Amino acid sequence: MKITVITVCLNSRNTIEKTIKSVIKQVKQDWDLEYIVVDGGSTDGTMLIVQEYAPYIDQYVSEPDRGIFDAMNKGISMASGDVIAFLNSDDWYEENALNSVMAVFADSDCDCVCCDNYVIGKNGRREYFDASKFLIDDLYIQMIYYHSSIFGKKELFKKNENFDIRYKFAADYDWFLRSVKNGAKLQYIHQPVFTFCYGGVSSVNEIECAEEARKIALSRLPAGKEIYRDRINRKLCEIVLNILDPESFYSKLTEILEENRINILWGAGSRGTQWTSWFQKSGIKIEAVVDSNSSLWGRFIGTVPICSPEILDQISCNLIITPEKYVDEIKSAVSAGNSNINIFEWNELCKMLAMSAVDDLLA
């Protein structure tokens, strides 16, 4: 059995050598390796490095393309392997990673092998991405594997028409979702096969990628899965809110909250803690966090006190309700005790913030 590894690149002089070395150093056991490099017309000397390793590269080409997924499709058309894999030009394989993958293909009739990986984030820290935390149905909400940890048979790509280049950032998600919906047989191995470095096309353009993925998820949602629509939209909100810088968060939130009122959060759980942190980092003052759990009263989240809901009886405020459960009961109780409170549900507030950010970006 043969695996074709495809590296697509554009002006990757500073990183591609490590990528290439990680491929050609893979120790083969009862399988063959084909390595293809598809360059988009680099002008920074990338191809000089590629040519230096020409004896280890079966095919390479350097010419303009219509984006990363067009280059990937080009690589697929050049491939002669039974299995196809992609490794971007700023990532690298772990030692002997491909042996583990090819062993699974040899022992099963699966169409696709999926794995874990490492991630080097914006902060430079290397963390383990454990894909086992996801269920396969989570794929209807978001991409559950990193692209280079997915190894597919060439026939799977032919059957599902490769990558749709109408999508600039998330065509890999679209292809994988289509493949699973069309009955692709998956095998998962709980092992990191490569290291992903933050800085690729989709990671740099996170909001655009998230919005594109949301559209794909909604358009591919099968009958009987409509319950996931809200979770799909909330996933975009989560991504956007984590990306927004404090100045943007402050600007957008102050446009929504009613002016001249103090701000109070309901809920001292993980979401309430997260929102308190977002408010404080953005310079928006939080007077208190209220919670019905009396054992929390008198404690603090950062510098913000946790108080009894009774403090809401006599004040005028913006109240952001962060728990998902008992929202209607909380709203009813608060409104009955004080009609001079402007109530916001966290998920609706998330949507308004996120969609405002997306609209600004895509305008």
Side-chain angles (χ1 to χ4, degrees):
M1 182 175 284
K2 180 194 289 186
I3 182 172
T4 298
V5 176
I6 301 166
T7 293
V8 300
C9 56
L10 178 64
N11 294 330
S12 304
R13 179 187 60 188
N14 295 329
T15 58
I16 194 169
E17 185 173 26
K18 186 170 186 176
T19 302
I20 293 172
K21 284 183 175 180
S22 78
V23 175
I24 64 179
K25 286 183 177 180
Q26 295 293 308
V27 178
K28 298 183 286 293
Q29 295 177 358
D30 301 321
W31 52 272
D32 295 317
L33 171 66
E34 177 183 54
Y35 190 28
I36 295 173
V37 176
V38 181
D39 180 76
S42 293
T43 58
D44 69 339
T46 295
M47 287 308 297
L48 294 175
I49 298 173
V50 172
Q51 290 163 1
E52 181 181 343
Y53 288 91
Y56 305 98
I57 299 172
D58 295 276
Q59 299 182 69
Y60 61 85
V61 62
S62 181
E63 59 189 21
D65 52 52
R66 291 176 289 175
I68 188 171
F69 294 107
D70 184 38
M72 289 180 174
N73 285 342
K74 190 182 299 183
I76 294 170
S77 69
M78 297 165 65
S80 64
D82 306 289
V83 176
I84 292 178
F86 294 92
L87 185 67
N88 290 337
S89 57
D90 46 6
D91 304 333
W92 59 88
Y93 282 134
E94 300 301 309
E95 186 176 349
N96 290 327
L98 297 186
N99 271 332
S100 299
V101 173
M102 296 305 284
V104 175
F105 278 112
D107 293 339
S108 73
D109 64 347
C110 66
D111 300 305
C112 195
V113 173
C114 305
C115 316
D116 299 338
N117 57 273
Y118 294 107
V119 177
I120 296 181
K122 300 177 189 178
N123 56 15
R125 289 200 298 265
R126 187 181 192 228
E127 298 180 353
Y128 188 96
F129 178 79
D130 182 0
S132 68
K133 63 185 178 182
F134 294 105
L135 302 174
I136 192 61
D137 269 10
D138 289 328
L139 185 62
Y140 294 113
I141 302 165
Q142 65 184 93
M143 187 61 156
I144 60 176
Y145 299 106
Y146 279 74
H147 183 81
S148 291
S149 64
I150 299 173
F151 300 79
K153 286 186 175 177
K154 188 171 184 179
E155 291 301 315
L156 186 64
F157 284 91
K158 288 183 178 179
K159 180 180 178 181
N160 293 286
E161 301 178 342
N162 298 348
F163 301 111
D164 187 341
I165 63 172
R166 291 178 300 173
Y167 297 117
K168 183 179 178 183
F169 302 103
D172 51 347
Y173 175 43
D174 174 67
W175 172 82
F176 191 57
L177 185 52
R178 279 188 284 121
S179 298
V180 171
K181 286 183 65 178
N182 289 338
K185 292 177 287 186
L186 309 182
Q187 287 282 353
Y188 164 73
I189 55 176
H190 187 37
Q191 175 183 334
V193 296
F194 87 108
T195 294
F196 170 87
C197 284
Y198 189 93
V201 171
S202 59
S203 55
V204 170
N205 301 277
E206 288 174 283
I207 292 180
E208 289 177 275
C209 180
E211 171 62 6
E212 194 170 270
R214 183 183 74 93
K215 290 179 179 178
I216 290 168
L218 290 173
S219 69
R220 300 286 182 191
L221 198 60
K225 300 291 184 182
E226 289 80 5
I227 192 173
Y228 290 130
R229 288 186 178 275
D230 185 54
R231 291 178 63 188
I232 291 168
N233 288 319
R234 280 163 51 186
K235 182 61 184 177
L236 172 66
C237 295
E238 175 188 323
I239 292 170
V240 172
L241 291 177
N242 279 308
I243 292 170
L244 278 181
D245 60 88
E247 184 177 338
S248 298
F249 187 86
Y250 176 88
S251 174
K252 295 183 183 305
L253 192 55
T254 52
E255 289 176 4
I256 297 170
L257 296 176
E258 189 168 327
E259 294 182 345
N260 302 320
R261 289 176 182 249
I262 62 174
N263 299 306
I264 294 178
L265 297 182
W266 184 300
S270 59
R271 190 175 294 116
T273 300
Q274 184 180 51
W275 273 81
T276 302
S277 174
W278 279 335
F279 270 75
Q280 291 183 312
K281 287 180 181 178
S282 303
I284 299 174
K285 187 174 182 181
I286 296 291
E287 292 292 334
V289 174
V290 300
D291 198 285
S292 56
N293 184 350
S294 61
S295 67
L296 299 177
W297 300 346
R299 299 184 185 181
F300 289 80
I301 298 177
T303 59
V304 180
I306 302 174
C307 304
S308 163
E310 292 180 357
I311 70 168
L312 299 174
D313 292 345
Q314 304 295 329
I315 60 175
S316 171
C317 69
N318 294 310
L319 178 67
I320 297 93
I321 301 174
T322 63
E324 283 190 89
K325 293 183 178 180
Y326 312 118
V327 171
D328 290 339
E329 292 90 333
I330 293 171
K331 291 170 66 175
S332 177
V334 170
S335 298
N338 185 348
S339 61
N340 198 27
I341 293 180
N342 200 18
I343 300 175
F344 297 88
E345 296 179 42
W346 79 271
N347 55 343
E348 293 300 324
L349 197 55
C350 279
K351 288 178 184 178
M352 288 188 281
L353 285 165
M355 293 308 171
S356 175
V358 170
D359 288 344
D360 287 350
L361 178 70
L362 301 181

